[in-house]
Amino acid sequence: MQKILLSGVKPTGRSHIGNYFGAMKQWLTLQDEHQCFLFIADYHSLNFIQNREEMNQNILDLALDYLAIGLDPEKVTIFKQSDVSEHTELAWIFDTITTMPYLKRAHAFKDAEAKEKEISVGTFNYPMLMASDILLYSPHVVPVGQDQKQHVEITRDTAEKFNHIFGKEVFNMPEPMILGEVAVVPGIDGQKMSKSYGNTIPLFATDEEIKKQVMAIVTDSSSEIPKNVYAIHALIKPKEELDALYEANKGKYKALKDALTEDLIAFITPMRERRKAFENDIEKVKEILKKGGEKAKIVAAKKMEEVREAIGVSL
Ligand code: ADP
Ligand code: TRP
């Protein structure tokens, strides 16, 4: 039997090369040997995006990204979290078996608290919705970037706790899958590349945008090899070629940045063309999401039946 893979991304803005190399790229290589559920975590992004047009646009953009990178909707189930109401239903059940002190240890909550932000109940509960996203589909693997590792651990704890309390192996233990060498892609300022830090190179940037962002990459003049430029370049160029290039251009930041710009453009162009084709057929994209939602719902509803049975609400 094929192993099951599940992952998702929040539609909170344009995807960037950190999202691609940290998460999406792994889906591509795995889509042939796994049964894949890849979803758009729109209810998660409601914590950040509370505007109808923006939400709509972000969802479609992310669906286009999924298709443009080469996911095959015939093989992979692509869907919107909000189309499968079992996600939020199960999150409630998990809320009731999880303590506040436990959730207070989650990084996302601690970060928000450290910044003295006003934290919504949805942000606090975020890991419970994520645990539901995952556990409804009994996946074997959950490919995510390093920053999501704790969320997958919380998911495992929650599965174990549920099984223990209700005395039934309803949920399996999913494994996070993190690609070691590209675990964290640096942004143009050297911090983790993230939509929320404004330091990204968008995956579907125009040539001009790529050029501008690459030129803005922070370089540390104490070294002959610009570390942040090299780290991004290493994602798309084989190590031998890369090292030869950086050796031959020691200290020549401009030349190295030009080379990176050129390589990024060459890498992005084919995906950009595929995206354009889908952009011209948005109805098809919506249809893919709808069909994906129907397929996912069948699996999720079946698991929810088991859950209801285990907790004693089905008579
Ligand atoms: P962002 O930080 O830009 O908001 P998300 O939280 O939406 O990104 O992350 C979507 C996926 O991409 C997650 O699996 C996450 O781990 C991965 N990811 C995000 N940024 C990076 C990065 N800089 N390096 C590696 N993976 C990343
Ligand atoms: N929390 C993830 C992120 O910020 C997105 C996400 C939601 C997810 N549910 C998931 C990822 C389930 C993997 C599996 O990137």
Side-chain angles (χ1 to χ4, degrees):
M1 222 189 55
Q2 271 192 326
K3 283 200 170 173
I4 299 171
L5 177 154
L6 175 131
S7 195
V9 174
K10 299 190 296 287
T12 46
R14 289 168 86 191
S15 302
H16 53 74
I17 60 172
N19 300 139
Y20 179 79
F21 288 100
M24 293 156 130
K25 184 181 172 212
Q26 302 172 69
W27 307 346
L28 285 181
T29 43
L30 295 163
Q31 67 175 337
D32 294 322
E33 20 175 302
H34 291 76
Q35 186 188 353
C36 294
F37 292 94
L38 297 172
F39 71 99
I40 295 174
D42 48 4
Y43 276 162
H44 272 118
S45 72
L46 196 55
N47 280 311
F48 313 91
I49 310 286
Q50 298 176 347
N51 172 292
R52 182 179 183 282
E53 280 76 33
E54 210 183 326
M55 179 67 86
N56 246 278
Q57 191 57 48
N58 285 351
I59 292 172
L60 280 178
D61 270 338
L62 190 54
L64 284 166
D65 294 347
Y66 280 13
L67 295 165
I69 63 167
L71 290 173
D72 177 355
E74 296 295 321
K75 283 192 209 144
V76 174
T77 307
I78 299 176
F79 67 102
K80 274 169 40 222
Q81 181 184 35
S82 59
D83 280 342
V84 186
S85 53
E86 283 78 0
H87 289 234
T88 42
E89 184 180 354
L90 183 57
W92 169 256
I93 294 169
F94 287 159
D95 281 349
T96 67
I97 63 165
T98 304
T99 68
M100 304 256 295
Y102 177 81
L103 278 185
K104 280 187 178 163
R105 291 203 293 270
H107 297 316
F109 172 75
K110 285 209 288 203
D111 290 351
E113 204 181 33
K115 289 182 193 141
E116 294 182 6
K117 281 193 194 156
E118 283 239 300
I119 303 160
S120 68
V121 176
T123 301
F124 183 66
N125 268 356
Y126 188 107
M128 295 294 99
L129 182 56
M130 180 151 165
S132 308
D133 299 335
I134 297 173
L135 295 172
L136 280 172
Y137 300 90
S138 317
H140 300 91
V141 287
V142 182
V144 283
Q146 182 68 41
D147 61 329
Q148 296 298 314
K149 194 164 177 253
Q150 191 196 33
H151 284 149
V152 181
E153 278 155 12
I154 294 176
T155 300
R156 291 166 58 90
D157 284 352
T158 306
E160 212 164 33
K161 195 162 184 194
F162 181 99
N163 290 348
H164 178 73
I165 292 175
F166 297 103
K168 230 175 152 185
E169 292 296 302
V170 174
F171 297 116
N172 75 327
M173 292 296 144
E175 293 287 344
M177 179 191 254
I178 291 155
L179 261 195
E181 77 248 41
V182 292
V184 177
V185 176
I188 61 170
D189 58 357
Q191 290 189 77
K192 173 189 128 86
M193 185 177 289
S194 170
K195 278 164 264 183
S196 35
Y197 302 155
N199 63 356
T200 70
I201 300 179
L203 184 55
F204 293 101
T206 60
D207 291 359
E208 277 316 303
E209 281 176 298
I210 295 174
K211 204 180 267 169
K212 183 166 157 268
Q213 291 304 82
V214 171
M215 286 308 155
I217 296 176
V218 173
T219 47
D220 169 3
S221 54
S222 66
S223 155
E224 291 191 318
I225 299 215
K227 160 169 120 284
N228 297 325
V229 181
Y230 182 94
I232 296 175
H233 218 155
L235 301 167
I236 52 172
K237 210 175 185 67
K239 184 153 175 33
E240 263 173 41
E241 281 177 47
L242 189 71
D243 287 347
L245 176 75
Y246 280 71
E247 185 57 36
N249 289 281
K250 271 190 191 162
K252 296 183 193 152
Y253 294 176
K254 171 79 170 57
L256 291 168
K257 284 184 168 182
D258 284 344
L260 173 59
T261 303
E262 197 180 305
D263 287 337
L264 275 172
I265 291 173
F267 159 76
I268 287 171
T269 298
M271 291 200 273
R272 227 195 252 153
E273 283 165 7
R274 207 158 20 197
R275 197 176 198 277
K276 239 305 52 67
F278 280 108
E279 273 170 25
N280 291 330
D281 197 355
I282 284 294
E283 285 314 309
K284 183 167 164 195
V285 176
K286 290 185 185 168
E287 189 56 32
I288 289 171
L289 288 180
K290 185 163 169 273
K291 280 221 179 91
E294 287 162 6
K295 265 174 80 182
K297 179 111 188 158
I298 294 172
V299 179
K302 199 156 161 245
K303 182 55 81 181
M304 266 322 288
E305 272 310 306
E306 271 184 67
V307 170
R308 289 198 199 97
E309 220 282 313
I311 64 176
V313 296
S314 49
L315 302 177

